[in-house]
Amino acid sequence: MYDYLVVGSGLFGSIFAYEAHKRGKKVLVIDKREHVGGNIYTENIHGINVHKYGAHIFHTSNKEVWDYIQQFATFNRYTNSPIAIYKDEVYNMPFNMNTFSRLWNIKTPAEAKEIIEKQRAEAKIIDPKNLEEQAISLVGMDIYEKLVKGYTQKQWGRPCNELPAFIIKRLPVRFTYDNNYFNDLYQGIPIGGYTQIIEKMLEGVEVRLNCDFFADKENLLKQAKKVIFTGMIDQYYDYMYGKLEYRSLRFETEILETDNFQGNAVVNYTDYEVPYTRIIEHKHFEYGTQKSTIITKEYPVTWTSNEEPYYPVNNDENNRIYKMYQEEAMKEKNVIFGGRLGQYKYYDMHNVIEEALKCVHVELGD
């Protein structure tokens, strides 16, 4: 009999397993994939740590979270400074003075503010009814058309004027020549990739891979006093209130016989006619000097039961359905739901760590 069955070896599950094991609890971790780490799994290919499930750039302003994760790896000084390509034009992200200078051939913040305010006024949008109106009311038509519209339509799989306004609560606009995408105090990439972090967390813990919880649910539940579940909450309850909606991703990875393909780790493609949203060149996350390089194209796709769910679609209808599942979860005495899929929230890595440590505190104490 295990004290805890942890379903999923991503960050949430692995942190809980590590902390429970440290306190002398008997823990079993299972994962349906053939490796640990969930979506932060990195695979070393030709000396390059490849982010197998999309780019993962660690950032936080929470010192407790930063100190915690650094127990398991040394982080480099990587700063996320993506660029965006629209047709044949190259722009810096997030929207800053480098972006505005390229867009409008201007030099000063005052000039940029004047153009944006003029475009916002011309749009005459008082109460945005959809994402398109919301974006234009925030940044004007030029930025929306070139840097928001196509990318967002690809990401969500529908036109911007059919998407709810609340998806874009704000768009980061900086009137400085600063290409750092995140405002967080701490930022970096673990030297040697993310997989080592999970492996260290799970050292001494029993782990079963290629183990599908739902293929043997009844038997597995009998083996543990409590369950930490990080899969899809609607699937746990056999979709009794209906299926929640997710978006998925498809990845195309190539090894190229060149030392530098695009000159940046992350390049977004904001033109709708380009089918992928971005290209990741993995070696640049760790300042690699290898003679070859590895790139991954990311294609957003509609989620089906055959696809991996990557992020929830938190519109009104899905949130209504989730609330019913959440009410079921609150009645559970021996099951704790965590992570993006278990809590149906778009969490970044630092959010997952915060939530996992909260769960540890409540369940296991300090």
Side-chain angles (χ1 to χ4, degrees):
M1 176 64 69
Y2 297 94
D3 293 302
Y4 294 99
L5 167 67
V6 177
V7 181
S9 64
L11 259 180
F12 191 101
S14 296
I15 288 171
F16 188 91
Y18 169 77
E19 293 295 337
H21 177 71
K22 193 167 72 172
R23 289 162 172 80
K25 304 295 183 182
K26 191 176 182 185
V27 182
L28 170 63
V29 176
I30 65 169
D31 201 297
K32 66 179 181 180
R33 288 174 173 167
E34 61 184 5
H35 58 73
V36 297
N39 288 346
I40 68 168
Y41 173 71
T42 47
E43 180 182 4
N44 190 287
I45 302 173
H46 296 318
I48 298 169
N49 291 305
V50 176
H51 297 216
K52 293 290 283 187
Y53 303 97
H56 283 80
I57 300 151
F58 197 88
H59 59 97
T60 183
S61 290
N62 185 330
K63 191 173 189 302
E64 180 189 359
V65 166
W66 181 242
D67 291 343
Y68 186 85
I69 199 68
Q70 286 196 101
Q71 297 176 83
F72 308 100
T74 300
F75 282 69
N76 66 18
R77 60 172 182 80
Y78 178 82
T79 300
N80 190 30
S81 304
I83 60 171
I85 294 179
Y86 174 79
K87 299 189 184 299
D88 293 324
E89 301 165 9
V90 180
Y91 297 98
N92 291 102
M93 301 288 284
F95 314 135
N96 65 58
M97 285 305 300
N98 288 307
T99 320
F100 308 144
S101 176
R102 178 83 171 88
L103 261 175
W104 301 312
N105 192 29
I106 59 169
K107 299 183 182 67
T108 68
E111 291 173 295
K113 289 177 182 177
E114 184 180 350
I115 292 171
I116 291 172
E117 287 305 317
K118 183 172 181 289
Q119 291 187 5
R120 290 175 62 189
E122 287 171 350
K124 296 179 180 176
I125 298 169
I126 307 298
D127 180 24
K129 298 292 192 296
N130 53 54
L131 187 147
E132 178 170 279
E133 292 182 358
Q134 173 78 338
I136 294 169
S137 71
L138 289 170
V139 295
M141 185 61 77
D142 288 350
I143 297 172
Y144 168 72
E145 284 286 346
K146 292 191 174 185
L147 300 175
V148 177
K149 183 179 180 180
Y151 188 95
T152 304
Q153 290 187 179
K154 288 187 286 188
Q155 187 177 30
W156 293 99
R158 62 192 70 171
C160 290
N161 59 11
E162 294 179 13
L163 289 166
F166 69 78
I167 290 177
I168 295 183
K169 293 177 181 175
R170 65 182 189 87
L171 285 167
V173 175
R174 296 181 190 160
F175 296 100
T176 60
Y177 288 90
D178 179 8
N179 295 325
N180 182 1
Y181 194 81
F182 301 118
N183 285 319
D184 287 308
L185 189 58
Y186 309 107
Q187 184 176 175
I189 300 284
I191 299 169
Y194 284 97
T195 305
Q196 61 176 321
I197 293 174
I198 302 299
E199 288 174 343
K200 288 174 185 174
M201 287 178 178
L202 297 179
E203 206 169 292
V205 176
E206 184 179 344
V207 178
R208 295 181 198 167
L209 301 175
N210 299 302
C211 182
D212 186 343
F213 173 74
F214 293 102
D216 196 20
K217 181 178 177 180
E218 194 174 325
N219 181 46
L220 285 166
L221 289 175
K222 289 176 184 175
Q223 295 182 41
K225 297 172 186 174
K226 284 194 171 184
V227 177
I228 309 298
F229 185 79
T230 66
M232 299 188 301
I233 188 170
D234 53 338
Q235 186 180 16
Y236 184 89
Y237 288 109
D238 199 25
Y239 309 109
M240 61 190 288
Y241 297 121
K243 288 188 177 183
L244 291 167
E245 192 178 359
Y246 303 87
R247 289 291 289 168
S248 191
L249 294 167
R250 179 170 61 84
F251 303 101
E252 285 184 3
T253 299
E254 301 173 66
I255 301 171
L256 303 176
E257 295 307 315
T258 179
D259 65 337
N260 191 354
F261 172 72
Q262 62 186 16
N264 208 45
V266 182
V267 178
N268 293 347
Y269 285 79
T270 61
D271 185 350
Y272 185 73
E273 278 62 46
V274 177
Y276 41 85
T277 49
R278 60 183 182 175
I279 296 179
I280 309 302
E281 188 167 5
H282 302 271
K283 69 188 296 182
H284 295 309
F285 288 130
E286 298 185 57
Y287 310 106
T289 57
Q290 297 87 352
K291 291 182 180 178
S292 59
T293 193
I294 299 174
I295 64 167
T296 299
K297 294 175 181 175
E298 289 187 15
Y299 297 81
V301 294
T302 301
W303 177 81
T304 67
S305 56
N306 297 322
E307 307 281 346
E308 285 288 342
Y310 281 92
Y311 50 95
V313 181
N314 290 117
N315 60 21
D316 291 340
E317 176 60 12
N318 284 311
N319 288 340
R320 182 189 68 79
I321 295 171
Y322 169 66
K323 190 174 180 183
M324 292 189 284
Y325 286 120
Q326 189 180 34
E327 287 169 0
E328 291 294 329
M330 289 171 71
K331 299 174 191 172
E332 300 280 359
K333 293 181 179 178
N334 300 316
V335 184
I336 297 168
F337 295 86
R340 267 190 189 187
L341 306 181
Q343 295 178 320
Y344 201 66
K345 288 183 182 175
Y346 188 91
Y347 284 138
D348 284 329
M349 287 180 285
H350 65 284
N351 303 127
V352 173
I353 295 171
E354 287 171 356
E355 290 299 314
L357 292 177
K358 282 181 197 172
C359 178
V360 166
H361 175 72
V362 171
E363 178 67 17
L364 301 170
D366 292 325

